[in-house]
Amino acid sequence: MNAIELAKEYFPEASEEELDHIIWSRTGFPSFFRGEESIEEQMRKQLSAYKKLVDAGKKVCDLCNSEATRNGLCHDCDEVLNRVRE
Ligand SMILES: [Zn+2]
């Protein structure tokens, strides 16, 4: 099973372009995975977290799979960027 096929399990109605966006922007694909779980297990967790927010109609942070609460970012990402800007 490749990454697109895996994403299609979670987003069966998505176009190939949307699936491409999801795997590149909402998962660690192609190489940002770490820890002891397999890449597939980690990717499934990331896809599931993203799908929960999408299904709930929530805005998703531009930088991670948390709910965006301010300026298109989640609280944590917003805080980090504000510290970097200071
Ligand atoms: Zn974030």
Side-chain angles (χ1 to χ4, degrees):
M1 176 177 293
N2 66 33
I4 289 282
E5 291 167 342
L6 189 58
K8 200 163 185 69
E9 276 188 28
Y10 292 83
F11 300 93
E13 307 297 322
S15 69
E16 289 288 317
E17 186 178 341
E18 290 167 331
L19 293 170
D20 198 50
H21 167 78
I22 290 167
I23 65 169
W24 281 91
S25 301
R26 298 297 170 184
T27 76
F29 183 85
S31 57
F32 292 99
F33 298 98
R34 61 181 179 208
E36 306 219 348
E37 294 177 315
S38 71
I39 289 173
E40 181 177 338
E41 287 172 317
Q42 292 180 59
M43 203 165 171
R44 284 187 182 281
K45 282 185 178 177
Q46 294 162 353
L47 288 165
S48 178
Y50 179 60
K51 182 172 173 49
K52 280 181 189 160
L53 290 173
V54 170
D55 287 351
K58 306 280 187 184
K59 290 185 177 178
V60 184
C61 176
D62 291 342
L63 302 177
C64 72
N65 282 344
S66 298
E67 182 179 356
T69 55
R70 188 172 155 195
N71 302 324
L73 301 172
C74 69
H75 176 78
D76 290 347
C77 290
D78 191 47
E79 289 288 312
V80 168
L81 287 180
N82 282 334
R83 268 186 258 142
V84 171
R85 289 181 187 128
E86 289 174 358

